[in-house]
Amino acid sequence: RGTTLRWLFKMLSSCSKASDPRPGQPYKGGNFHAFLPDNREGQKTAMLLKKAFEHGLTFQIKSCNGEERVTWGLIPHKTSWDGGKARNGYPDAQYLREVCTVL
């Protein structure tokens, strides 16, 4: 494998906003990792993912077993460098094209 861009998102616990499914309810944050290849296409994708994050599109708050928590949103991220598409990892020859289409 080549050089990797690794992102770490530290989402703090807080209370949901008026636009969230259960406004004013506390939710649990967490640490989230994502990986991209460090090449031209990966860097272009990283810029688009950064814009999506800045616009609040990367994460969402969901109820899980009666607890509100931060989870990945609808934009697909590679959360493992290996394991293939089935495990949100590489190799996945179509990922960069697919995520750019979503973005």
Side-chain angles (χ1 to χ4, degrees):
R1 84 180 171 197
T3 309
T4 306
L5 299 173
R6 180 177 178 215
W7 294 29
L8 170 61
F9 300 93
K10 290 187 174 213
M11 304 303 293
L12 302 176
S13 297
S14 188
C15 286
S16 56
K17 298 178 282 196
S19 60
D20 291 320
R22 295 183 56 199
Q25 293 297 310
Y27 63 83
K28 185 175 180 172
N31 294 333
F32 298 83
H33 300 268
F35 299 88
L36 289 167
D38 189 5
N39 57 29
R40 181 184 291 171
E41 197 174 357
Q43 290 171 7
K44 174 187 164 195
T45 303
M47 290 188 334
L48 293 172
L49 288 171
K50 181 176 186 267
K51 286 182 182 181
F53 178 78
E54 290 169 347
H55 285 88
L57 302 173
T58 303
F59 295 99
Q60 59 189 356
I61 299 170
K62 280 192 169 179
S63 184
C64 182
N65 296 327
E67 178 182 63
E68 302 295 310
R69 61 180 353 158
V70 176
T71 63
W72 289 107
L74 300 177
I75 299 168
H77 285 74
K78 289 297 179 185
T79 56
S80 174
W81 185 249
D82 51 23
K85 188 172 186 169
R87 305 192 95 189
N88 288 331
Y90 295 96
D92 182 353
Q94 303 302 314
Y95 172 69
L96 293 175
R97 186 174 319 131
E98 289 172 359
V99 75
C100 284
T101 299
V102 171
L103 293 167

Tab-separated table of all heavy atoms in Angstrom, residues 2 6 8 10 27 30 32 36-37 41 43-45 47-48 50 61-62 64 84 93 98-99:
chain	number	residue	atom	x	y	z
A	2	GLY	N	0.347	2.325	-0.535
A	2	GLY	CA	1.101	3.564	-0.625
A	2	GLY	C	0.899	4.445	0.603
A	2	GLY	O	0.419	4.005	1.641
A	6	ARG	N	-4.780	10.030	6.767
A	6	ARG	CA	-5.621	9.507	7.848
A	6	ARG	C	-6.269	10.680	8.558
A	6	ARG	O	-5.590	11.595	8.995
A	6	ARG	CB	-4.784	8.707	8.831
A	6	ARG	CG	-5.608	8.140	9.956
A	6	ARG	CD	-4.758	7.297	10.873
A	6	ARG	NE	-5.571	6.804	11.959
A	6	ARG	CZ	-5.138	6.645	13.183
A	6	ARG	NH1	-3.895	6.918	13.489
A	6	ARG	NH2	-5.945	6.204	14.116
A	8	LEU	N	-8.747	12.008	11.695
A	8	LEU	CA	-9.315	11.688	12.996
A	8	LEU	C	-10.305	12.795	13.340
A	8	LEU	O	-9.951	13.973	13.368
A	8	LEU	CB	-8.232	11.606	14.078
A	8	LEU	CG	-8.733	11.522	15.520
A	8	LEU	CD1	-9.588	10.272	15.730
A	8	LEU	CD2	-7.572	11.557	16.484
A	10	LYS	N	-12.738	14.058	16.286
A	10	LYS	CA	-13.090	13.926	17.698
A	10	LYS	C	-14.376	14.703	17.916
A	10	LYS	O	-14.366	15.925	17.976
A	10	LYS	CB	-11.979	14.467	18.591
A	10	LYS	CG	-10.740	13.620	18.582
A	10	LYS	CD	-9.734	14.109	19.598
A	10	LYS	CE	-8.592	13.129	19.625
A	10	LYS	NZ	-8.022	13.030	20.958
A	27	TYR	N	-26.311	13.964	23.706
A	27	TYR	CA	-25.834	12.873	22.867
A	27	TYR	C	-24.371	12.598	23.163
A	27	TYR	O	-23.654	13.461	23.652
A	27	TYR	CB	-26.054	13.148	21.380
A	27	TYR	CG	-25.309	14.350	20.838
A	27	TYR	CD1	-23.977	14.250	20.450
A	27	TYR	CD2	-25.954	15.568	20.694
A	27	TYR	CE1	-23.309	15.355	19.951
A	27	TYR	CE2	-25.287	16.671	20.196
A	27	TYR	CZ	-23.961	16.554	19.827
A	27	TYR	OH	-23.289	17.641	19.339
A	30	GLY	N	-17.692	10.763	20.061
A	30	GLY	CA	-16.781	9.645	19.859
A	30	GLY	C	-15.656	10.034	18.915
A	30	GLY	O	-15.626	11.139	18.371
A	32	PHE	N	-13.691	9.124	15.407
A	32	PHE	CA	-13.970	8.497	14.113
A	32	PHE	C	-12.726	8.643	13.231
A	32	PHE	O	-12.154	9.722	13.148
A	32	PHE	CB	-15.165	9.169	13.429
A	32	PHE	CG	-16.444	9.055	14.212
A	32	PHE	CD1	-16.722	9.947	15.244
A	32	PHE	CD2	-17.362	8.071	13.918
A	32	PHE	CE1	-17.899	9.853	15.971
A	32	PHE	CE2	-18.542	7.970	14.641
A	32	PHE	CZ	-18.810	8.858	15.670
A	36	LEU	N	-7.782	7.831	3.213
A	36	LEU	CA	-7.747	8.088	1.778
A	36	LEU	C	-6.332	7.831	1.286
A	36	LEU	O	-5.373	8.023	2.032
A	36	LEU	CB	-8.103	9.547	1.470
A	36	LEU	CG	-9.539	9.985	1.674
A	36	LEU	CD1	-9.629	11.499	1.624
A	36	LEU	CD2	-10.424	9.367	0.607
A	37	PRO	N	-6.183	7.433	0.020
A	37	PRO	CA	-4.831	7.316	-0.523
A	37	PRO	C	-4.230	8.715	-0.694
A	37	PRO	O	-4.941	9.665	-1.026
A	37	PRO	CB	-5.048	6.635	-1.877
A	37	PRO	CG	-6.474	6.890	-2.227
A	37	PRO	CD	-7.213	7.042	-0.933
A	41	GLU	N	-5.922	12.116	-6.673
A	41	GLU	CA	-7.364	11.869	-6.542
A	41	GLU	C	-7.792	11.852	-5.069
A	41	GLU	O	-8.832	12.390	-4.705
A	41	GLU	CB	-7.734	10.553	-7.227
A	41	GLU	CG	-9.205	10.404	-7.493
A	41	GLU	CD	-9.526	9.157	-8.308
A	41	GLU	OE1	-8.607	8.423	-8.714
A	41	GLU	OE2	-10.727	8.931	-8.526
A	43	GLN	N	-6.308	13.458	-2.587
A	43	GLN	CA	-6.226	14.827	-2.067
A	43	GLN	C	-7.412	15.666	-2.538
A	43	GLN	O	-7.956	16.467	-1.773
A	43	GLN	CB	-4.899	15.462	-2.469
A	43	GLN	CG	-3.738	14.827	-1.743
A	43	GLN	CD	-2.385	15.268	-2.271
A	43	GLN	OE1	-2.282	16.157	-3.104
A	43	GLN	NE2	-1.342	14.616	-1.789
A	44	LYS	N	-7.836	15.452	-3.782
A	44	LYS	CA	-9.030	16.152	-4.292
A	44	LYS	C	-10.257	15.736	-3.481
A	44	LYS	O	-11.069	16.575	-3.076
A	44	LYS	CB	-9.229	15.815	-5.770
A	44	LYS	CG	-10.500	16.370	-6.371
A	44	LYS	CD	-10.705	15.861	-7.782
A	44	LYS	CE	-12.132	16.088	-8.226
A	44	LYS	NZ	-12.485	15.329	-9.396
A	45	THR	N	-10.370	14.444	-3.220
A	45	THR	CA	-11.490	13.931	-2.429
A	45	THR	C	-11.434	14.488	-1.008
A	45	THR	O	-12.469	14.855	-0.441
A	45	THR	CB	-11.473	12.394	-2.419
A	45	THR	OG1	-11.504	11.924	-3.770
A	45	THR	CG2	-12.658	11.823	-1.655
A	47	MET	N	-10.338	17.362	-0.028
A	47	MET	CA	-10.835	18.746	-0.034
A	47	MET	C	-12.360	18.780	-0.060
A	47	MET	O	-12.991	19.585	0.639
A	47	MET	CB	-10.254	19.530	-1.210
A	47	MET	CG	-8.777	19.816	-1.043
A	47	MET	SD	-8.012	20.926	-2.258
A	47	MET	CE	-8.982	20.774	-3.712
A	48	LEU	N	-12.966	17.886	-0.848
A	48	LEU	CA	-14.431	17.826	-0.910
A	48	LEU	C	-15.019	17.340	0.421
A	48	LEU	O	-16.033	17.867	0.887
A	48	LEU	CB	-14.873	16.909	-2.047
A	48	LEU	CG	-14.550	17.392	-3.461
A	48	LEU	CD1	-14.870	16.313	-4.483
A	48	LEU	CD2	-15.289	18.678	-3.775
A	50	LYS	N	-13.667	17.742	3.327
A	50	LYS	CA	-13.485	18.836	4.287
A	50	LYS	C	-14.633	19.837	4.154
A	50	LYS	O	-15.194	20.285	5.163
A	50	LYS	CB	-12.144	19.527	4.052
A	50	LYS	CG	-11.860	20.654	5.025
A	50	LYS	CD	-10.472	21.230	4.782
A	50	LYS	CE	-10.121	22.255	5.829
A	50	LYS	NZ	-10.439	23.598	5.495
A	61	ILE	N	-26.843	12.594	14.269
A	61	ILE	CA	-27.161	12.062	15.591
A	61	ILE	C	-28.273	11.045	15.418
A	61	ILE	O	-29.292	11.334	14.804
A	61	ILE	CB	-27.582	13.193	16.552
A	61	ILE	CG1	-26.441	14.181	16.709
A	61	ILE	CG2	-27.999	12.618	17.895
A	61	ILE	CD1	-26.823	15.447	17.443
A	62	LYS	N	-28.043	9.852	15.954
A	62	LYS	CA	-29.043	8.783	15.863
A	62	LYS	C	-29.276	8.184	17.236
A	62	LYS	O	-28.389	8.182	18.084
A	62	LYS	CB	-28.557	7.675	14.923
A	62	LYS	CG	-28.734	7.971	13.473
A	62	LYS	CD	-28.507	6.709	12.659
A	62	LYS	CE	-28.928	6.909	11.231
A	62	LYS	NZ	-28.697	5.713	10.433
A	64	CYS	N	-29.629	4.995	19.466
A	64	CYS	CA	-29.149	3.610	19.445
A	64	CYS	C	-29.338	3.027	20.839
A	64	CYS	O	-28.710	3.495	21.800
A	64	CYS	CB	-27.675	3.592	19.026
A	64	CYS	SG	-26.975	1.962	18.900
A	84	GLY	N	-11.310	-4.579	2.438
A	84	GLY	CA	-12.161	-4.490	1.260
A	84	GLY	C	-13.446	-3.716	1.495
A	84	GLY	O	-13.724	-3.234	2.595
A	93	ALA	N	-11.774	-0.293	-5.752
A	93	ALA	CA	-11.391	0.493	-6.924
A	93	ALA	C	-12.391	1.591	-7.269
A	93	ALA	O	-12.025	2.588	-7.887
A	93	ALA	CB	-11.198	-0.431	-8.125
A	98	GLU	N	-17.127	6.942	-6.480
A	98	GLU	CA	-18.447	6.927	-5.852
A	98	GLU	C	-18.618	8.044	-4.824
A	98	GLU	O	-19.650	8.711	-4.799
A	98	GLU	CB	-18.685	5.565	-5.183
A	98	GLU	CG	-18.899	4.448	-6.173
A	98	GLU	CD	-18.941	3.072	-5.510
A	98	GLU	OE1	-18.794	2.966	-4.270
A	98	GLU	OE2	-19.132	2.084	-6.250
A	99	VAL	N	-17.606	8.270	-3.978
A	99	VAL	CA	-17.740	9.305	-2.957
A	99	VAL	C	-17.760	10.688	-3.597
A	99	VAL	O	-18.503	11.574	-3.147
A	99	VAL	CB	-16.672	9.190	-1.854
A	99	VAL	CG1	-15.304	9.656	-2.308
A	99	VAL	CG2	-17.083	9.980	-0.620
